[in-house]
Amino acid sequence: MNPWEQALKQLEQVKAYVEIPETIYRRLAEPQNLIKGELEVGGKKYPAWRSQHNDARGPYKGGIRFHPKVSEDEVKALSMWMTFKCATVDIPYGGAKGGVAVEPRQLSKAELEALSRAYARLVTPVIGEKRDIPAPDVNTDGQIMAWMLDEYEKAVGYKAPGTFTGKPIALGGSLGREEATGQGGVQILKALLTQFKVPVATTTVAVQGFGNVGYWFARLAEAAGFKVVAVFDSKGGIVSEDLTGLEIEAVMTHKQKVGKVVGYKGAKDLASEELWSLPVTVVVPAALEGVIDKEVAEKLQAKYVVEMANGPVTPAADTVLKERGIVSVPDVLANAGGVTVSYFEWVQNLQGQAWDLEVVQAQLKRHMEEAFSGVWREWERLEGGQVNPATLKVGMRVPTYTIAVKRVVEAMMLRGNSR
Ligand code: GLU
């Protein structure tokens, strides 16, 4: 199942819980705008997209991904997930996503800059601080946002730092943005385990993906007292002997030296596929979509999944997980900390202010906790009482989507979009 089919299936499943007028449903089942182009760098051409899914609740919002597997359907799916993510945490944005089909590791720094600037030129006519606000995603970072903002501001002829988020601090970025996705995810995991009365200190965690999201999730989970026993990147993984827990900072130092987590001393190397059968309490997919399919769901040993990637669990796997009593925290809630602090960055830019880190962190915690308790109450309502993993009527995606889709539908109805 490709990501767009997956996103559509998830939307379709909410129909049983939310009344969606047919015209509104049809609008939600397509992005409002899809911008396509080809970026030429170093004599090669790279296909590029920006999908603007929905802007009923506010300007379009979502990252830009540089990855060889980026496709039109992937970008469309990611843009729909952004619409529901921003609605889940109740921030005033719609959803969008951009992507370029490229392996950025094969580009020189000058080529990466040229590609980033070419992308900014492609989307300049359709973005803006009150229109569509891009941010980093897989393989893009603050430096790339800086190049794009610079190119955009040159084209429009005035400063508009709120057009991109995830910027370096020196160009109007926010303190706390870099770690925000991981931080929000750890907060959600803690809130979940509190509900199920599971103690943090004995909870073991395996993380798939050691980019910005996976690294910060692992590091902040370790700081919060979890035992992060295994981490994986695209080349393989490591597990701490007798599951005592890894020192995440030291693993990162090792990765920076040799380019992979494999080979870290004091841990055992593992092949990528060994991750899913590890005897841990929590698995955290923090890389790409579709990694937990039906087969993986059937052999998973963990009791909880925290979806830090976008779309890591397929609909077929969702059903298996629910039947096996495994709780999967949906992406649009688990990884919403990133876009939430992007929202704070944008607010600061529009007001010409810079918040202290403590303010950012307190606001993030409040947003994540409020979103979590809203979802939890809805889940209890759907279960008709206590949430018991052994007898689930629905997985956690259902109450989350119910809340998010209702908010988007309400905004569309108020705008008269049902006609
Ligand atoms: N790329 C991130 C996401 O998927 C962040 C988006 C943003 O900050 O706009 O949520």
Side-chain angles (χ1 to χ4, degrees):
M1 184 179 263
N2 86 26
W4 179 240
E5 287 165 351
Q6 178 177 330
L8 282 178
K9 181 91 202 157
Q10 290 166 338
L11 177 65
E12 193 194 311
Q13 286 171 341
V14 198
K15 270 186 164 174
Y17 306 91
V18 184
E19 206 185 309
I20 313 176
E22 192 47 39
T23 39
I24 298 252
Y25 186 82
R26 266 189 275 124
R27 283 173 201 239
L28 284 172
E30 266 309 313
Q32 288 172 341
N33 303 305
L34 184 65
I35 295 94
K36 299 183 215 186
E38 253 183 350
L39 311 180
E40 213 181 315
V41 173
K44 282 200 193 123
K45 287 184 179 160
Y46 302 98
W49 296 267
R50 181 83 180 160
S51 168
Q52 298 176 323
H53 175 256
N54 189 282
D55 68 347
R57 288 175 39 88
Y60 301 109
K61 182 87 190 84
I64 299 164
R65 175 175 293 200
F66 288 176
H67 193 277
K69 287 212 177 95
V70 166
S71 66
E72 184 166 313
D73 273 357
E74 185 194 49
V75 174
K76 282 167 67 178
L78 289 159
S79 70
M80 186 193 282
W81 290 327
M82 283 311 300
T83 300
F84 298 137
K85 188 184 303 186
C86 295
T88 297
V89 281
D90 208 4
I91 55 177
Y93 289 136
K97 197 71 153 215
V100 182
V102 62
E103 174 50 89
R105 284 168 194 89
Q106 284 168 5
L107 300 182
S108 67
K109 191 160 180 205
E111 287 170 333
L112 188 62
E113 175 174 350
L115 186 80
S116 305
R117 288 185 185 276
Y119 186 86
R121 286 194 296 276
L122 172 71
V123 297
T124 287
V126 298
I127 64 171
E129 21 182 39
K130 300 284 176 67
R131 187 168 181 183
D132 182 355
I133 305 140
D137 195 77
V138 174
N139 293 333
T140 52
D141 60 11
Q143 174 62 76
I144 289 172
M145 294 307 110
W147 289 324
M148 288 188 181
L149 176 69
D150 186 62
E151 196 68 16
Y152 173 79
E153 287 180 340
K154 276 184 190 147
V156 296
Y158 53 83
K159 301 295 175 199
T163 311
F164 290 85
T165 60
K167 301 180 292 295
I169 307 293
L171 289 185
S174 178
L175 294 171
R177 174 62 185 86
E178 201 184 301
E179 63 270 37
T181 312
Q183 190 151 31
V186 172
Q187 277 157 0
I188 293 287
L189 175 60
K190 274 164 68 181
L192 182 81
L193 296 184
T194 303
Q195 290 294 344
F196 289 125
K197 301 189 172 56
V198 177
V200 166
T202 49
T203 298
T204 52
V205 179
V207 180
Q208 184 228 15
F210 210 53
N212 175 281
V213 175
Y215 162 68
W216 279 108
F217 185 96
R219 191 175 141 182
L220 296 170
E222 182 194 8
F226 290 98
K227 286 204 264 179
V228 182
V229 298
V231 297
F232 284 69
D233 60 21
S234 60
K235 298 185 184 98
I238 51 171
V239 63
S240 72
E241 307 277 4
D242 60 39
L243 302 182
T244 46
L246 297 160
E247 221 181 288
I248 299 305
E249 205 52 71
V251 176
M252 185 42 117
T253 308
H254 165 80
K255 174 158 174 141
Q256 275 165 346
K257 251 185 248 147
V258 303
K260 52 188 176 190
V261 295
V262 165
Y264 174 73
K265 65 169 175 23
K268 198 171 127 222
D269 291 347
L270 293 177
S272 299
E273 58 283 2
E274 291 180 89
L275 162 64
W276 309 114
S277 41
L278 284 176
V280 291
T281 326
V282 185
V283 294
V284 182
L288 297 174
E289 58 273 3
V291 292
I292 302 188
D293 56 13
K294 195 165 170 288
E295 287 71 47
V296 170
E298 274 156 3
K299 67 176 183 218
L300 212 63
Q301 298 287 308
K303 293 267 170 284
Y304 307 94
V305 178
V306 183
E307 301 175 17
M308 293 305 290
N310 291 311
V313 177
T314 68
D318 245 348
T319 308
V320 176
L321 294 179
K322 189 201 73 173
E323 275 159 13
R324 293 191 57 215
I326 300 170
V327 172
S328 194
V329 185
D331 45 9
V332 295
L333 175 63
N335 71 31
V339 74
T340 301
V341 177
S342 273
Y343 163 56
F344 302 158
E345 178 176 338
W346 178 77
V347 170
Q348 292 170 72
N349 294 152
L350 294 187
Q351 299 181 340
Q353 290 188 0
W355 299 358
D356 290 341
L357 182 60
E358 295 72 41
V359 177
V360 173
Q361 287 182 338
Q363 289 291 324
L364 172 63
K365 190 159 181 275
R366 189 171 71 79
H367 274 259
M368 297 312 286
E369 284 175 357
E370 267 174 30
F372 179 86
S373 40
V375 168
W376 190 263
R377 279 194 301 276
E378 178 66 11
W379 203 4
E380 286 180 330
R381 194 184 67 79
L382 292 168
E383 295 292 329
Q386 243 187 5
V387 178
N388 178 356
T391 58
L392 289 179
K393 289 199 183 103
V394 295
M396 198 171 178
R397 197 175 321 278
V398 174
T400 310
Y401 263 57
T402 302
I403 290 172
V405 173
K406 262 190 198 154
R407 285 182 180 151
V408 177
V409 170
E410 185 190 0
M412 293 175 79
M413 297 287 283
L414 287 166
R415 288 177 185 277
N417 290 166
S418 60
R419 285 194 294 273

